[in-house]
Amino acid sequence: MRIVVKPLLLMACAFLAMSSTAWAALSVTASPTSVVVGQPVSVTVSSSGCNIGAVLGVNFGDNQSTTVPANTTTTVIHAYSALGSFTIGAGGIKPGCTPPVVTGPTITVVPLSVTVSVTTSPAPAQVTAFFKGVGED
């Protein structure tokens, strides 16, 4: 039994070593996660352990996307043009980076809230003066 298990284990290790897909560490973070329309969000994608030349796609959840190089920590700026909740995801778009997709944070885009404070003061009293000319009664 020992003789059979050892060769199978060695073959499995050799297969994994020759595989063209690397097992990678991949993460996505964003800040801030609650914004108003047009406010920039910093999205950071970190990856390591991908094959040389691998490229990652970043999907912002609003039908917009970009690419970043693998095996780096890259920050991109994105601004949302509509209200709603958008989940960011990233993954390999060129072979050589596994896991294929990770889900990042959800960005909530809220309406702009404006608070207006008005302070009024009593209007100054109006003074009307009448002058008589010289020699008039």
Side-chain angles (χ1 to χ4, degrees):
M1 180 68 92
R2 278 174 98 103
I3 296 172
V4 174
V5 171
K6 209 173 199 178
L8 288 177
L9 183 59
L10 289 173
M11 286 182 0
C13 289
F15 173 76
L16 289 173
M18 293 184 326
S19 173
S20 65
T21 302
W23 286 95
L26 180 58
S27 68
V28 180
T29 60
S31 180
T33 56
S34 181
V35 296
V36 296
V37 170
Q39 181 180 351
V41 176
S42 294
V43 178
T44 302
V45 179
S46 297
S47 64
S48 63
C50 298
N51 288 341
I52 294 173
V55 175
L56 303 175
V58 181
N59 184 323
F60 299 108
D62 63 350
N63 294 321
Q64 300 293 315
S65 62
T66 191
T67 58
V68 296
N71 300 319
T72 64
T73 296
T74 304
T75 299
V76 293
I77 305 298
H78 183 70
Y80 291 88
S81 61
L83 301 177
S85 293
F86 305 95
T87 301
I88 300 172
I93 58 172
K94 253 185 165 176
C97 203
T98 302
V101 176
V102 295
T103 301
T106 297
I107 307 300
T108 303
V109 182
V110 298
L112 178 62
S113 175
V114 177
T115 303
V116 177
S117 177
V118 177
T119 305
T120 60
S121 306
Q126 184 175 6
V127 177
T128 305
F130 293 98
F131 295 100
K132 289 184 179 185
V134 177
E136 294 182 17
D137 286 330

